[in-house]
Amino acid sequence: MSRARLPLAALSLASVSALVLSGCSQSTDASKDTGTSAAPAAAATGKKPAPFAAGPVKVALVRQSGAGDYFEQWGNGAKAQAKALGIDLTVYDAQADNAKQATDLSSAINSGAKAIIIDHGFPATIQPEIDKAVKKGIKVVVYDVETATDGVVSTKQDDASMARAVLDVMAEDLGRGAKVGYVNVAGYAALDKRDSVWKTAVDSSAWKQEFKVGKVTDSTATDNVPLVSAALTQHSDVAGVFAPYDELAKGAVLAVQNKKLQDKVKVFGADVSNADIQQMTAAGSPWVATAGTDPSAVGAAVVRTTALELAGELGKTSVEFPAVAITQDFLREKKIANMDQLREALPALNLSEVSTADWISNVAH
């Protein structure tokens, strides 16, 4: 999402997507905690260009949050790709504390990093630091962050297409004139883009939006359960709920189940991960459709984009990662239980041809 795209990414959504409260954790070892969602690196065949030919290159990853299944996989993909490239990656995680993210970005600027990747964040708090980094000659690559600063490379999920994909399924399932609920939070680039598509879908399908609730915390899924439960108490006749970020969708699913409405209310989400697949395919699950990218592959592709920019080979200022629709019926029919199986069944999730070169060891699936 984009917290998400974030994938719904995170922000992302993206995927936005799991933005936690105050505090900060930092890791300087890109070789650890790469998880199981990143594929082994495909061997590079070309000669490394500068600055990579001279040895490890120092890069900082400044995250608004690394919490939640989607963002953990995103981070694992980024770390694995950094290791394969010989990047000395320092990771800052502000845990959804926006002021702390600005401080982290300032620290990254002063750390000697050749490039900085910024994963989500609010422009109002990080824009001054982005300007400082660019003026200092540091390469800046953002993921699901809105900025107009010249010289910054923008990467993102195609959040509009992601929302359209799942809302097309929702329109087909619910038909015209249905009563619907909405779980979302304003202020995150990925979620705001998905919100624009939602408003268009409500109008075109003549849906009646009965409620809108939602918040992002250090336990987004859990903390949205009472909000959605209260809304469903007043509006138990809704036919469907749209929650365009997987942590929000998880909260909506639990609320629907707690109210024993799973046979009446369908949940439509965004983003996809191992946990999301398990929840969608569980017996009696009301989560019938989502749309997303492979978070691990996206994290890896953002790092490759940064490497190409450092080498002077990117040649563009934006890179977008396409999303695909994924239904509960498809997952069950194909007996898909995890992301590895989903990648095999949906080759469109493969980003191996995005932001690559013969000198790059590619960990995309």
Side-chain angles (χ1 to χ4, degrees), residues 7-8 24 30 44 74 100 105 129 169 199 207 221 256 262 303 310:
L8 227 247
C24 169
W74 193 103
K100 183 58 180 172
L105 185 47
E129 299 302 324
V169 178
K199 291 174 180 175
W207 288 333
V256 169
Q262 56 266 39
V303 172
L310 277 165

Side-chain angles (χ1 to χ4, degrees), residues 99-156:
K100 183 58 180 172
Q101 189 183 19
T103 301
D104 287 345
L105 185 47
S106 178
S107 296
I109 291 170
N110 295 320
S111 71
K114 298 293 184 181
I116 298 174
I117 300 169
I118 304 173
D119 173 23
H120 289 89
F122 283 89
T125 53
I126 62 176
Q127 184 60 57
E129 299 302 324
I130 291 175
D131 291 339
K132 290 177 185 177
V134 172
K135 288 179 181 178
K136 197 171 180 178
I138 300 170
K139 300 294 185 182
V140 177
V141 176
V142 299
Y143 177 68
D144 267 345
V145 175
E146 296 295 333
T147 176
T149 303
D150 290 339
V152 173
V153 175
S154 173
T155 66
K156 58 187 175 181

Side-chain angles (χ1 to χ4, degrees), residues 1 3 11-14 16-21 62-65 94-103 105 118-131 142-148 184-192 215-217:
M1 133 176 132
R3 180 107 357 302
L11 300 182
S12 4
L13 181 45
V16 137
S17 338
L19 317 168
V20 208
L21 289 176
V62 180
R63 311 193 71 183
Q64 207 272 353
S65 172
Q95 298 184 340
D97 183 332
N98 298 312
K100 183 58 180 172
Q101 189 183 19
T103 301
L105 185 47
I118 304 173
D119 173 23
H120 289 89
F122 283 89
T125 53
I126 62 176
Q127 184 60 57
E129 299 302 324
I130 291 175
D131 291 339
V142 299
Y143 177 68
D144 267 345
V145 175
E146 296 295 333
T147 176
N184 201 1
V185 181
Y188 298 98
L191 294 183
D192 288 344
K215 64 180 178 179
V216 169
T217 70

Side-chain angles (χ1 to χ4, degrees), residues 282-299:
S285 173
W287 190 350
V288 298
T290 191
T293 56
D294 175 356
S296 178
V298 170

